[in-house]
PDB file of all heavy atoms in Angstrom:
ATOM      1  N   THR A 267      45.000  -9.449  29.125  1.00 95.00           N
ATOM      2  CA  THR A 267      45.291  -8.034  29.390  1.00 95.00           C
ATOM      3  C   THR A 267      46.090  -7.910  30.673  1.00 95.00           C
ATOM      4  O   THR A 267      46.616  -6.854  30.977  1.00 95.00           O
ATOM      5  CB  THR A 267      43.997  -7.233  29.622  1.00 95.00           C
ATOM      6  OG1 THR A 267      43.347  -7.771  30.815  1.00 95.00           O
ATOM      7  CG2 THR A 267      43.048  -7.289  28.455  1.00 95.00           C
ATOM      8  N   TYR A 299      48.131  -2.985  26.107  1.00 98.00           N
ATOM      9  CA  TYR A 299      46.920  -2.613  26.819  1.00 98.00           C
ATOM     10  C   TYR A 299      47.188  -1.385  27.730  1.00 98.00           C
ATOM     11  O   TYR A 299      46.378  -0.482  27.785  1.00 98.00           O
ATOM     12  CB  TYR A 299      46.413  -3.806  27.674  1.00 98.00           C
ATOM     13  CG  TYR A 299      45.037  -3.658  28.153  1.00 98.00           C
ATOM     14  CD1 TYR A 299      43.925  -3.742  27.341  1.00 98.00           C
ATOM     15  CD2 TYR A 299      44.805  -3.469  29.541  1.00 98.00           C
ATOM     16  CE1 TYR A 299      42.661  -3.625  27.862  1.00 98.00           C
ATOM     17  CE2 TYR A 299      43.515  -3.346  30.026  1.00 98.00           C
ATOM     18  CZ  TYR A 299      42.434  -3.451  29.156  1.00 98.00           C
ATOM     19  OH  TYR A 299      41.186  -3.317  29.669  1.00 98.00           O
ATOM     20  N   PHE A 315      37.580   0.721  37.407  1.00 97.00           N
ATOM     21  CA  PHE A 315      38.648   1.120  36.588  1.00 97.00           C
ATOM     22  C   PHE A 315      38.570   0.427  35.226  1.00 97.00           C
ATOM     23  O   PHE A 315      39.508   0.234  34.514  1.00 97.00           O
ATOM     24  CB  PHE A 315      40.002   0.703  37.268  1.00 97.00           C
ATOM     25  CG  PHE A 315      41.108   1.666  36.945  1.00 97.00           C
ATOM     26  CD1 PHE A 315      41.361   2.811  37.650  1.00 97.00           C
ATOM     27  CD2 PHE A 315      41.966   1.422  35.859  1.00 97.00           C
ATOM     28  CE1 PHE A 315      42.384   3.728  37.365  1.00 97.00           C
ATOM     29  CE2 PHE A 315      43.034   2.295  35.575  1.00 97.00           C
ATOM     30  CZ  PHE A 315      43.216   3.406  36.298  1.00 97.00           C
ATOM     31  N   ASN A 316      37.318   0.038  34.855  1.00 95.00           N
ATOM     32  CA  ASN A 316      37.103  -0.786  33.615  1.00 95.00           C
ATOM     33  C   ASN A 316      36.760   0.004  32.403  1.00 95.00           C
ATOM     34  O   ASN A 316      35.666   0.591  32.339  1.00 95.00           O
ATOM     35  CB  ASN A 316      36.025  -1.810  33.927  1.00 95.00           C
ATOM     36  CG  ASN A 316      34.788  -1.208  34.517  1.00 95.00           C
ATOM     37  OD1 ASN A 316      34.893  -0.353  35.439  1.00 95.00           O
ATOM     38  ND2 ASN A 316      33.623  -1.586  34.051  1.00 95.00           N
ATOM     39  N   PRO A 317      37.741   0.127  31.482  1.00 95.00           N
ATOM     40  CA  PRO A 317      37.453   0.915  30.267  1.00 95.00           C
ATOM     41  C   PRO A 317      36.828  -0.039  29.212  1.00 95.00           C
ATOM     42  O   PRO A 317      37.382  -0.274  28.137  1.00 95.00           O
ATOM     43  CB  PRO A 317      38.835   1.280  29.834  1.00 95.00           C
ATOM     44  CG  PRO A 317      39.715   0.191  30.309  1.00 95.00           C
ATOM     45  CD  PRO A 317      39.052  -0.443  31.480  1.00 95.00           C
ATOM     46  N   CYS A 318      35.572  -0.518  29.479  1.00 91.00           N
ATOM     47  CA  CYS A 318      35.025  -1.681  28.716  1.00 91.00           C
ATOM     48  C   CYS A 318      34.912  -1.405  27.255  1.00 91.00           C
ATOM     49  O   CYS A 318      35.235  -2.317  26.427  1.00 91.00           O
ATOM     50  CB  CYS A 318      33.702  -2.075  29.328  1.00 91.00           C
ATOM     51  SG  CYS A 318      33.879  -2.940  30.885  1.00 91.00           S
ATOM     52  N   ILE A 319      34.481  -0.232  26.842  1.00 90.00           N
ATOM     53  CA  ILE A 319      34.280  -0.022  25.383  1.00 90.00           C
ATOM     54  C   ILE A 319      35.636  -0.062  24.662  1.00 90.00           C
ATOM     55  O   ILE A 319      35.795  -0.755  23.677  1.00 90.00           O
ATOM     56  CB  ILE A 319      33.511   1.266  25.133  1.00 90.00           C
ATOM     57  CG1 ILE A 319      32.096   1.176  25.740  1.00 90.00           C
ATOM     58  CG2 ILE A 319      33.392   1.546  23.605  1.00 90.00           C
ATOM     59  CD1 ILE A 319      31.231   2.388  25.611  1.00 90.00           C
ATOM     60  N   CYS A 321      38.315  -1.333  25.724  1.00 94.00           N
ATOM     61  CA  CYS A 321      38.913  -2.691  25.897  1.00 94.00           C
ATOM     62  C   CYS A 321      38.397  -3.633  24.877  1.00 94.00           C
ATOM     63  O   CYS A 321      39.148  -4.377  24.249  1.00 94.00           O
ATOM     64  CB  CYS A 321      38.581  -3.138  27.331  1.00 94.00           C
ATOM     65  SG  CYS A 321      39.151  -4.806  27.720  1.00 94.00           S
ATOM     66  N   HIS A 322      37.058  -3.607  24.697  1.00 89.00           N
ATOM     67  CA  HIS A 322      36.489  -4.475  23.664  1.00 89.00           C
ATOM     68  C   HIS A 322      36.996  -4.173  22.264  1.00 89.00           C
ATOM     69  O   HIS A 322      37.297  -5.010  21.464  1.00 89.00           O
ATOM     70  CB  HIS A 322      34.950  -4.353  23.679  1.00 89.00           C
ATOM     71  CG  HIS A 322      34.329  -5.368  24.609  1.00 89.00           C
ATOM     72  ND1 HIS A 322      33.102  -5.222  25.181  1.00 89.00           N
ATOM     73  CD2 HIS A 322      34.739  -6.649  24.937  1.00 89.00           C
ATOM     74  CE1 HIS A 322      32.805  -6.296  25.874  1.00 89.00           C
ATOM     75  NE2 HIS A 322      33.830  -7.153  25.709  1.00 89.00           N
ATOM     76  N   MET A 325      40.338  -5.579  21.882  1.00 93.00           N
ATOM     77  CA  MET A 325      40.308  -7.050  21.660  1.00 93.00           C
ATOM     78  C   MET A 325      39.846  -7.438  20.281  1.00 93.00           C
ATOM     79  O   MET A 325      40.456  -8.313  19.668  1.00 93.00           O
ATOM     80  CB  MET A 325      39.298  -7.676  22.695  1.00 93.00           C
ATOM     81  CG  MET A 325      39.936  -7.615  24.057  1.00 93.00           C
ATOM     82  SD  MET A 325      38.946  -8.582  25.207  1.00 93.00           S
ATOM     83  CE  MET A 325      39.791  -8.259  26.761  1.00 93.00           C
ATOM     84  N   SER A 353      28.822  -3.070  28.759  1.00 47.00           N
ATOM     85  CA  SER A 353      29.712  -3.410  27.632  1.00 47.00           C
ATOM     86  C   SER A 353      28.952  -4.108  26.535  1.00 47.00           C
ATOM     87  O   SER A 353      29.454  -4.204  25.474  1.00 47.00           O
ATOM     88  CB  SER A 353      30.814  -4.321  28.167  1.00 47.00           C
ATOM     89  OG  SER A 353      30.281  -5.479  28.687  1.00 47.00           O
ATOM     90  N   CYS A 427      36.900  -9.939  35.561  1.00 91.00           N
ATOM     91  CA  CYS A 427      37.980  -8.911  35.319  1.00 91.00           C
ATOM     92  C   CYS A 427      38.222  -8.076  36.537  1.00 91.00           C
ATOM     93  O   CYS A 427      37.261  -7.543  37.114  1.00 91.00           O
ATOM     94  CB  CYS A 427      37.547  -8.096  34.121  1.00 91.00           C
ATOM     95  SG  CYS A 427      38.494  -6.638  33.811  1.00 91.00           S
ATOM     96  N   LEU A 429      39.449  -5.258  36.871  1.00 96.00           N
ATOM     97  CA  LEU A 429      39.227  -3.850  36.673  1.00 96.00           C
ATOM     98  C   LEU A 429      37.790  -3.446  37.011  1.00 96.00           C
ATOM     99  O   LEU A 429      37.520  -2.260  37.262  1.00 96.00           O
ATOM    100  CB  LEU A 429      39.530  -3.401  35.167  1.00 96.00           C
ATOM    101  CG  LEU A 429      40.989  -3.643  34.795  1.00 96.00           C
ATOM    102  CD1 LEU A 429      41.130  -3.460  33.287  1.00 96.00           C
ATOM    103  CD2 LEU A 429      41.894  -2.657  35.520  1.00 96.00           C
ATOM    104  N   THR A 430      36.938  -4.393  37.103  1.00 93.00           N
ATOM    105  CA  THR A 430      35.509  -4.066  37.482  1.00 93.00           C
ATOM    106  C   THR A 430      35.326  -4.159  39.014  1.00 93.00           C
ATOM    107  O   THR A 430      34.243  -3.888  39.539  1.00 93.00           O
ATOM    108  CB  THR A 430      34.508  -5.060  36.837  1.00 93.00           C
ATOM    109  OG1 THR A 430      34.839  -6.374  37.300  1.00 93.00           O
ATOM    110  CG2 THR A 430      34.543  -5.019  35.299  1.00 93.00           C
TER     111      THR A 430
HETATM  112  S1  SF4 B 798      35.204  -6.268  31.992  1.00 70.71           S
HETATM  113 FE1  SF4 B 798      37.431  -5.994  31.877  1.00 70.71          FE
HETATM  114  S2  SF4 B 798      38.046  -7.375  30.188  1.00 70.71           S
HETATM  115 FE2  SF4 B 798      35.855  -7.093  30.011  1.00 70.71          FE
HETATM  116  S3  SF4 B 798      35.624  -5.409  28.575  1.00 70.71           S
HETATM  117 FE3  SF4 B 798      35.601  -4.539  30.626  1.00 70.71          FE
HETATM  118  S4  SF4 B 798      37.662  -3.958  31.052  1.00 70.71           S
HETATM  119 FE4  SF4 B 798      37.758  -5.369  29.323  1.00 70.71          FE
END
Side-chain angles (χ1 to χ4, degrees):
T267 63
Y299 193 72
F315 211 88
N316 49 317
C318 288
I319 297 178
C321 176
H322 267 153
M325 289 190 184
S353 61
C427 168
L429 297 170
T430 61

